[in-house]
Amino acid sequence: MQNGHKEVSPLFKKEFKDITKNSPSFSQEAATLDANKVKNRYVNILAFDRTRVKLLTDEDDPTADYINANYIPGYSSPREYIATQGPMTGTVNDFWRMVWEQNSALIVQLSDLLERGRPKVDLYWPTEVNSPMQYGEIIVTMTALSSLNKYTIRNFIICMENNMEERRQVTQFFIHGWVDYSANLNPKDVMDYIRTVRLEAKRNPSRPIIVHCSAGVGRSGTFIALDFLQQYVDDHTLDDVVDIYNLVLNMRHNRPLMVQTEAQYVFIHDTLKMIVDTKIEMMKADEENIYQNQVAQDDDNVYANQGFETEENVYQNTEIQPTDPTTSL
């Protein structure tokens, strides 16, 4: 598999500058309404109108449907992901409304609540197992908590206050220690995490994966790009071209600043190399297994040929004399 751009540091810098230069600037009218400004965690990261997720509402208030979230196309669906900011105290209820209304079964959390003493995400889930909490009209119960070495998995059951019989399962995956603006994690650890999330996603392939960090653009964009690339590499040959530049630029047509820093852009390239190398190693292992199986089959044939001849071979190896038509029994 060929990379569409050479892995040379000055070229990375030039490409990332070009991405910044060529990134579109679409309208953000809903995000800048006075009543909605307080719903944005950062004043410079606002949802595009054209791809924003709209909350359902019966109110005449034009601001009631706003949440800082955008649909992002993926490998198999134009709305495979929802990239969103980390919930704030005033938007936690809206976040769970979005989970319910979008019928999502997966939440990918890439930011801790606090980083270097600064708040990045407000706590938006119950911390005790089997102790439900209500967020607006949504009741959330954590049913299981698995704390692993590199990431944490939380399982939730959610239901509506006015319809508690309809209960849905939601799983949250949180990777530890990914610092804002950076790519400080080991590529293997990130890909192990992504593969785990993807296995869960296959159980609900038609439901959008909600991805958030703090702003919902840097680490979120990096995760989405790598999840896309893993699926692409799995389904293509080593001769196909991977164009990370346009992948990132296309994401930025749906949400601003996706893959926020040059370090994250380089990290995507480095991790892609690891993905491709892993594919090559697996292909070599498959070839060795095929060769070993062929040798074993050949050995079996050798042993079989050393045994007694079959009835068919006896007939083939025996010279049959023609019968004298004048001879009678």
Side-chain angles (χ1 to χ4, degrees):
M1 183 164 294
Q2 302 169 346
N3 194 326
H5 303 275
K6 295 180 180 179
E7 295 186 16
V8 180
S9 182
L11 184 56
F12 283 143
K13 293 181 181 294
K14 180 181 183 304
E15 284 186 1
F16 195 73
K17 286 181 179 178
D18 287 345
I19 287 174
T20 303
K21 178 182 177 181
N22 294 322
S23 295
S25 179
F26 297 114
S27 68
Q28 300 167 318
E29 292 181 5
T32 55
L33 293 173
D34 288 340
N36 286 339
K37 288 180 180 179
V38 295
K39 302 176 185 177
N40 300 310
R41 180 172 287 275
Y42 301 101
V43 297
N44 64 324
I45 300 175
L46 310 176
F48 287 147
D49 292 321
R50 62 192 293 271
T51 57
R52 72 181 179 92
V53 179
K54 296 181 181 180
L55 301 175
L56 301 178
T57 178
D58 294 329
E59 300 179 31
D60 293 332
D61 182 358
T63 67
D65 71 350
Y66 179 75
I67 185 170
N68 192 318
N70 293 95
Y71 296 107
I72 306 295
Y75 184 72
S76 58
S77 169
R79 290 186 172 186
E80 189 163 345
Y81 311 95
I82 292 174
T84 185
Q85 65 183 18
M88 304 163 59
T89 300
T91 65
V92 169
N93 294 355
D94 293 338
F95 178 85
W96 283 111
R97 279 178 62 198
M98 179 175 68
V99 173
W100 180 268
E101 292 171 3
Q102 298 298 316
N103 196 21
S104 180
L106 267 176
I107 300 171
V108 174
Q109 179 176 333
L110 304 167
S111 171
D112 209 337
L113 303 182
L114 288 173
E115 294 179 10
R116 298 173 180 173
R118 296 183 178 182
K120 293 292 182 178
V121 179
D122 286 35
L123 182 66
Y124 62 89
W125 64 87
T127 57
E128 300 294 329
V129 174
N130 296 324
S131 295
M133 291 191 65
Q134 187 162 345
Y135 302 96
E137 299 177 338
I138 312 296
I139 299 173
V140 180
T141 304
M142 183 167 65
T143 58
L145 170 65
S146 302
S147 296
L148 307 177
N149 186 31
K150 302 295 183 179
Y151 51 89
T152 297
I153 304 173
R154 296 180 177 93
N155 299 103
F156 302 108
I157 293 291
I158 66 174
C159 62
M160 292 286 289
E161 177 186 23
N162 59 1
N163 182 14
M164 299 185 66
E165 293 183 359
E166 184 181 354
R167 298 160 63 84
R168 301 179 187 172
Q169 295 184 355
V170 177
T171 305
Q172 179 209 58
F173 291 85
F174 164 54
I175 191 167
H176 307 160
W178 195 339
V179 178
D180 202 3
Y181 299 108
S182 75
N184 60 300
L185 297 185
N186 184 301
K188 183 181 183 303
D189 292 339
V190 173
M191 289 313 304
D192 288 344
Y193 172 74
I194 288 174
R195 291 188 191 100
T196 303
V197 173
R198 178 49 53 186
L199 285 174
E200 182 68 22
K202 288 180 178 179
R203 298 174 59 185
N204 300 284
S206 61
R207 302 182 186 183
I209 302 171
I210 294 176
V211 183
H212 79 81
C213 43
S214 183
V217 294
R219 288 166 285 186
S220 296
T222 305
F223 171 93
I224 291 172
L226 290 174
D227 186 43
F228 177 99
L229 290 169
Q230 178 66 72
Q231 295 174 81
Y232 185 93
V233 171
D234 286 345
D235 289 349
H236 290 75
T237 71
L238 296 175
D239 295 323
D240 291 316
V241 174
V242 178
D243 193 343
I244 297 175
Y245 176 93
N246 278 308
L247 174 61
V248 174
L249 197 57
N250 287 339
M251 284 195 292
R252 288 191 173 203
H253 277 75
N254 291 268
R255 184 168 173 84
L257 294 175
M258 295 292 280
V259 185
Q260 193 172 10
T261 67
E262 181 184 304
Q264 292 166 348
Y265 186 66
V266 173
F267 181 77
I268 293 172
H269 285 78
D270 291 341
T271 307
L272 173 63
K273 182 179 184 301
M274 187 200 72
I275 293 171
V276 173
D277 288 345
T278 300
K279 182 182 178 79
I280 292 172
E281 291 174 4
M282 292 177 64
M283 291 174 63
K284 288 180 178 178
D286 289 342
E287 289 176 357
E288 290 176 359
N289 289 335
I290 291 172
Y291 174 75
Q292 290 172 354
N293 290 337
Q294 287 176 340
V295 171
Q297 290 172 1
D298 290 342
D299 289 342
D300 290 342
N301 290 335
V302 169
Y303 293 131
N305 291 335
Q306 289 176 347
F308 295 103
E309 292 179 310
T310 65
E311 184 178 0
E312 180 181 357
N313 289 336
V314 170
Y315 288 134
Q316 290 175 348
N317 295 332
T318 301
E319 184 178 354
I320 301 176
Q321 301 296 329
T323 303
D324 184 351
T326 62
T327 304
S328 59
L329 293 176

